[in-house]
Amino acid sequence: MFFRSRSGYLPVASSPPQLKWKHKIRQFVSRRALRLLPLVVFVLGTIAWYFLLPRLPTLNTILPPLYQEYRDREDSLPHYEPDATYPNGRHAKYVFFANHLQGVGWGNLMQELLLNALLAYKAKRSFVFYNYEWKPGSRYAIYDFRIIPATVPLSAILSGPLTGGPIDSADVPRAVSVNHFREICPNRTIVSGDELRAQLQSATGLQTLTALTRKLEAMEDRCIEISLKTLQAFDYYLLGSKDVLDIWPTLSESPIITQFDWSPLIHSAFNTNRKLFETSSPHFSAPSDTFKPFMPSPHISGLLAVHLRRGDFKKHCDMLAKWSSGFNGFNRFDELPDKFQIPPGGWGENTPENIETYHRHCYPSISQIVDKVLDVRRKVPGLDRLYIMTNGDEKWMQELTSALETLEEWKSISSSQDLILTWEQKFVAPALDIYVAQSAQAFIGNGWSSLTSNSVMLRMAGKHNPNTTFFW
């Protein structure tokens, strides 16, 4: 470095080279540290939350419920006794799908659960029922910046044969909890899901069920476990395609559906919020130990239920368009009036026009929602109440409600945001939405949603007129 003088340019003393490098390193580290500070705070905060909060009794009230009473009941059902009458107790054979879905929404898990239970039933084995697991091995997890239970016992959501209730069969043992299974089966036969699924990649739902039933029937082993992290018996691709529909006649006539019911917790939530649906003759009886035909829900006259996914579903909708995806499998019943024709285009990319077509059906605007609601109201006489199943924010809901009320009168418009829920009910509320959707006089759903798909399937099982079930 130089400065100018009368005698010319003279050198100015500067820092030694090694000091310059140290200074640059300090500057670099400081900048990196500032950028990493939010991440460090988040990580330290998460560690503190995970390890410290559960140990502070005064703060435990902010944590999600652990449903311990439900777990205890699941692990002490009467048919667990070795001397239980045939086909239970020491007479039973078991199958546990350890490779079941984890870390997904309830809609996805429920789809797979029903078919896994059907497979166990057809193979005349006790279905080993499992938790709804978001983060196995933990008590709590974080989803969408909220603390949620890492696992929820299945009996907090469902009842009937799926959770160990009586099953209408003389030779199929009742379901057992995974804890009981591990206790009575210390030496289990581990089978790879990859091995079971071999040569079934392009099989339909019924073909898959038939082939896997034969494989399980041929095994004399009492305790079979399908190993973790191997292919599912009924995978995402099958459940998302129309190829699953040929399994419906078998599924719909099995006790998995004919004796399907929601848990007392879900029935109680429905009862508490009855004013939102205004049914005059609801079914609120808790599940019992006696067989009853499928009628776990009322048919709510006058109610139109609609399912509107918002938030992150916009990005998902973009992906659906990009890969030219069709409706979820059980949203493709031939009897349903609304069909989705995949627009011609490339696989892996799509045109702006085609993307807009997808958005209209999977992420509709307020004006598009209003148009569809009014169209359905004209097609189905007597609809005068509206229930909106949504994760949309409050401001968006206000805009939608205002638009709906401006064009037509309703006795009531309510949404998921209006539900009054206990702390235990709050974390299983998606099941309540399905319960309402399957019961409503008419329903409009999202054709790519597994929650909609389960609602549609149960509406078909409940003998609703197919012309009362629609899609955006």
Side-chain angles (χ1 to χ4, degrees), residues 90-110:
R90 62 172 53 89
H91 310 284
K93 290 183 177 181
Y94 307 91
V95 59
F96 171 46
F97 298 91
N99 61 341
H100 66 85
L101 288 173
Q102 300 172 342
V104 298
W106 167 248
N108 295 112
L109 183 109
M110 180 177 165

Side-chain angles (χ1 to χ4, degrees), residues 99 201 350 359:
N99 61 341
Q201 282 75 11
N350 222 322
H359 274 231

Side-chain angles (χ1 to χ4, degrees), residues 3-167:
F3 74 92
R4 186 176 181 181
S5 71
R6 290 182 181 178
S7 58
Y9 287 91
L10 300 176
V12 176
S14 61
S15 302
Q18 64 270 24
L19 293 180
K20 286 184 177 180
W21 282 110
K22 288 181 179 179
H23 179 66
K24 289 181 178 179
I25 291 172
R26 281 197 299 270
Q27 284 184 322
F28 176 76
V29 171
S30 297
R31 288 194 295 269
R32 290 292 298 272
L34 286 174
R35 286 198 294 267
L36 291 174
L37 183 60
L39 177 62
V40 171
V41 171
F42 173 78
V43 170
L44 292 177
T46 300
I47 292 172
W49 160 78
Y50 187 83
F51 288 102
L52 297 180
L53 282 184
R55 294 167 174 78
L56 299 176
T58 57
L59 295 178
N60 271 350
T61 54
I62 70 171
L63 295 175
L66 297 178
Y67 302 94
Q68 192 58 47
E69 292 182 6
Y70 293 85
R71 301 179 196 278
D72 292 342
R73 284 197 294 271
E74 289 181 354
D75 296 336
S76 57
L77 296 173
H79 61 280
Y80 291 176
E81 295 295 328
D83 294 331
T85 57
Y86 179 87
N88 299 296
R90 62 172 53 89
H91 310 284
K93 290 183 177 181
Y94 307 91
V95 59
F96 171 46
F97 298 91
N99 61 341
H100 66 85
L101 288 173
Q102 300 172 342
V104 298
W106 167 248
N108 295 112
L109 183 109
M110 180 177 165
Q111 283 184 315
E112 182 198 41
L113 173 78
L114 295 174
L115 296 189
N116 282 347
L118 177 65
L119 175 55
Y121 169 75
K122 296 297 290 184
K124 294 182 172 55
R125 287 182 175 269
S126 170
F127 174 60
V128 180
F129 62 89
Y130 36 84
N131 295 323
Y132 171 32
E133 297 179 323
W134 191 260
K135 187 180 180 183
S138 302
R139 286 175 297 179
Y140 308 109
I142 297 179
Y143 174 72
D144 197 23
F145 301 103
R146 295 182 298 119
I147 305 173
I148 62 172
T151 67
V152 176
L154 195 62
S155 61
I157 306 172
L158 299 175
S159 66
L162 289 167
T163 55
I167 187 166

Side-chain angles (χ1 to χ4, degrees), residues 166-443:
I167 187 166
D168 185 32
S169 174
D171 55 358
V172 177
R174 291 165 66 168
V176 302
S177 71
V178 65
N179 288 341
H180 178 69
F181 171 72
R182 287 170 175 158
E183 180 182 336
I184 63 171
C185 293
N187 301 310
R188 303 181 287 280
T189 300
I190 307 299
V191 178
S192 168
D194 299 354
E195 177 186 334
L196 286 180
R197 285 282 302 172
Q199 301 178 340
L200 288 174
Q201 282 75 11
S202 59
T204 67
L206 185 59
Q207 290 169 345
T208 300
L209 176 68
T210 302
L212 297 186
T213 298
R214 288 172 180 164
K215 288 186 179 184
L216 291 178
E217 285 178 331
M219 300 177 71
E220 293 298 325
D221 313 66
R222 186 185 185 211
C223 303
I224 296 176
E225 178 174 322
I226 314 303
S227 54
L228 187 68
K229 296 182 179 179
T230 59
L231 293 176
Q232 281 94 18
F234 303 94
D235 60 23
Y236 172 82
Y237 297 102
L238 176 60
L239 291 168
S241 76
K242 194 172 182 179
D243 287 338
V244 75
L245 285 180
D246 67 349
I247 208 172
W248 176 243
T250 304
L251 175 62
S252 64
E253 295 169 5
S254 74
I256 308 306
I257 291 297
T258 61
Q259 291 180 258
F260 176 91
D261 204 353
W262 298 105
S263 71
L265 187 65
I266 301 302
H267 279 285
S268 174
F270 183 89
N271 193 14
T272 299
N273 292 280
R274 177 180 174 180
K275 63 182 182 297
L276 300 182
F277 323 124
E278 294 187 10
T279 179
S280 57
S281 55
H283 167 84
F284 294 125
S285 60
S288 67
D289 278 351
T290 58
F291 166 73
K292 64 174 180 288
F294 181 93
M295 262 307 294
S297 66
H299 280 212
I300 310 175
S301 178
L303 181 67
L304 170 60
V306 302
H307 182 207
L308 287 163
R309 286 287 301 273
R310 308 310 286 177
D312 63 347
F313 206 77
K314 183 177 185 299
K315 292 182 180 178
H316 186 58
C317 191
D318 291 338
M319 291 300 297
L320 294 170
K322 180 178 180 180
W323 299 111
S324 297
S325 300
F327 277 178
N328 193 281
F330 284 114
N331 291 330
R332 301 198 203 186
F333 283 103
D334 288 334
E335 300 93 322
L336 301 177
D338 287 346
K339 308 291 192 298
F340 179 74
Q341 186 68 39
I342 297 175
W347 189 78
E349 284 298 335
N350 222 322
T351 65
E353 293 77 17
N354 286 354
I355 292 173
E356 174 55 33
T357 297
Y358 271 86
H359 274 231
R360 186 162 61 252
H361 293 282
C362 67
Y363 203 83
S365 66
I366 286 179
S367 62
Q368 290 166 345
I369 293 168
V370 171
D371 288 344
K372 183 66 177 182
V373 166
L374 297 184
D375 180 57
V376 167
R377 195 172 183 185
R378 285 189 291 269
K379 291 177 179 176
V380 183
L383 299 176
D384 55 16
R385 297 182 304 282
L386 182 63
Y387 177 70
I388 302 169
M389 304 153 49
T390 186
N391 60 338
D393 60 38
E394 187 176 349
K395 182 176 181 295
W396 180 82
M397 267 300 304
Q398 290 174 349
E399 292 175 359
L400 175 60
T401 302
S402 176
L404 288 164
E405 290 175 332
T406 298
L407 293 178
E408 204 152 330
E409 289 187 7
W410 300 83
K411 285 186 178 179
S412 68
I413 298 178
S414 58
S415 77
S416 310
Q417 298 174 356
D418 300 312
L419 293 171
I420 298 173
L421 302 171
T422 67
W423 197 225
E424 285 186 329
Q425 291 165 352
K426 178 179 176 63
F427 296 95
V428 294
L432 175 59
D433 274 347
I434 298 176
Y435 182 35
V436 176
Q438 78 178 84
S439 310
Q441 181 177 343
F443 173 60

